[in-house]
Amino acid sequence: MARLLGGIEAGGTKFVCAVGEASGKVTARVKFPTTTPEATLAQVFAFFDQYEVAAIGVGSFGPIDIEPQSATYGYITDTPKLAWKNFDFLGALKVHYPAVKFVWTTDVNVAAYGEYLQGAGVGKQNICYVTVGTGIGVGYISHGKLYSGRSHPEAGHIMMHRAADDDFVGVCPYHGDCLEGIAAGPAIERRNGKKGHEIAPDDPFWQIEAYYLAQACMTYTLTFSPDLIVFGGGVSKQAQLFPLIRAEFAKLMHDYVRVPDLELYIQHVKLGDDAGITGSLLVAADAVK
Ligand code: ADP
Ligand code: ZN
């Protein structure tokens, strides 16, 4: 019988834990809010204690330390969620499950990997996954491998060319009006006085949002040269954004580099909200192959 695999999608607002198969198929899952590390991990253990898994893929909110030689490898590092700052997340999991193999990466990376193998990225080698939700995060897969440098990309914090007459100051505690600071969910709520899903699809605000996301697509195109840019996260559920982003992207790029047809090049996730948990099972599957 094939061995059971585990996945943890550890988000800043909610955790999803699942067990499933190497195909990425989920056979059981639970979802609960992210509270303190102790209380949240108690729920993680309560779930996985019911199963015997060979490996668990962990996609964590961050920033996290993914440098194996580092003294704080496996830690969540600089998060504004203070209870989790400098928390040895991977260490706590390993103490509870000493026989289990762990794959440790970001929540964005597992979602990128899920979309790469089973979503919009099927058949592609180089995909840039961008989540626009509570924050903006980027996972890049280059020739089938998750890219990292010294650490994982933090490409949601790039600086932007401001739209004409847009003087919104931005909400990023580190940079103010970086991309995340002006275009993620909390920024949308602050500038409009209501949440993204409450704003009409034809509201002129979406043009501004699209302008910033198109600049991001331009930067990622010029730096990574992907086959495909896939958007996930709550804000990307606004389908009217996609034609606007493609049109702004075309204007900004002036055909400087060749990219595929924009309908194919800039897409919404195919796995929807399951990209992350599917990807966490798939990275676990790779670890025991
Ligand atoms: P997280 O980033 O915590 O994993 P999400 O990707 O759902 O979760 O992002 C939550 C953010 O996205 C919130 O700021 C929320 O207001 C916004 N959001 C969620 N759903 C939508 C939607 N359908 N349209 C626009 N914004 C949304
Ligand atoms: Zn920032």
Side-chain angles (χ1 to χ4, degrees):
M1 209 188 102
R3 283 187 293 177
L4 203 57
L5 298 166
I8 302 175
E9 189 188 7
T13 35
K14 65 170 195 304
F15 266 53
V16 182
C17 297
V19 290
E21 299 167 6
S23 64
K25 183 171 177 254
V26 171
T27 49
R29 81 168 85 195
V30 284
K31 193 162 115 174
F32 42 86
T34 309
T35 56
T36 62
E38 294 72 26
T40 310
L41 275 175
Q43 286 180 280
V44 171
F45 297 151
F47 176 73
F48 286 108
D49 282 355
Q50 306 172 86
Y51 306 97
E52 204 164 300
V53 293
I56 298 179
V58 187
S60 175
F61 74 93
I64 63 175
D65 189 337
I66 58 164
E67 201 184 341
Q69 277 76 38
S70 161
T72 53
Y73 175 71
Y75 282 52
I76 294 181
T77 57
D78 291 314
T79 173
K81 293 180 78 74
L82 293 180
W84 291 82
K85 200 177 157 112
N86 301 319
F87 176 63
D88 183 6
F89 187 7
L90 180 62
L93 292 168
K94 283 182 167 168
V95 165
H96 198 82
Y97 298 114
V100 172
K101 259 193 191 165
F102 283 93
V103 180
W104 169 246
T105 188
T106 64
D107 51 353
V108 183
N109 275 352
V110 290
Y113 204 62
E115 276 297 311
Y116 160 66
L117 280 179
Q118 299 197 354
V122 169
K124 304 281 191 298
Q125 282 300 302
N126 309 293
I127 84 160
C128 179
Y129 171 81
V130 187
T131 177
V132 188
T134 306
I136 298 185
V138 176
Y140 180 54
I141 288 168
S142 171
H143 299 284
K145 292 261 178 285
L146 277 166
Y147 168 84
S148 70
R150 267 187 52 246
S151 187
H152 50 85
E154 279 289 339
H157 292 265
I158 55 177
M159 297 312 291
M160 290 280 116
H161 193 251
R162 299 302 300 267
D165 304 326
D166 180 19
D167 56 6
F168 177 63
V169 290
V171 298
C172 175
Y174 296 92
H175 320 110
D177 63 350
C178 67
L179 173 62
E180 177 172 306
I182 51 173
I188 294 175
E189 187 175 352
R190 178 74 67 84
R191 73 155 79 216
N192 293 287
K194 52 188 165 185
K195 289 184 187 292
H197 70 272
E198 297 163 338
I199 303 170
D202 60 355
D203 191 292
F205 160 71
W206 295 113
Q207 186 64 50
I208 297 176
E209 179 76 6
Y211 177 61
Y212 294 131
L213 295 177
Q215 284 184 58
C217 289
M218 176 172 176
T219 298
Y220 307 148
T221 298
L222 298 174
T223 50
F224 296 136
S225 186
D227 299 317
L228 169 71
I229 298 174
V230 196
F231 281 96
V235 175
S236 75
K237 290 178 181 165
Q238 296 292 326
Q240 74 281 4
L241 272 174
F242 285 84
L244 301 176
I245 296 170
R246 293 180 191 118
E248 287 294 335
F249 176 82
K251 273 197 261 171
L252 288 166
M253 285 292 281
H254 283 287
D255 289 327
Y256 178 60
V257 293
R258 256 202 255 171
V259 294
D261 177 73
L262 293 186
E263 293 275 329
L264 301 173
Y265 185 59
I266 298 174
Q267 287 193 43
H268 189 227
V269 281
K270 285 230 167 79
L271 299 180
D273 292 336
D274 275 352
I277 199 67
T278 305
S280 65
L281 289 175
L282 294 169
V283 295
D286 287 351
V288 293
K289 240 182 216 159

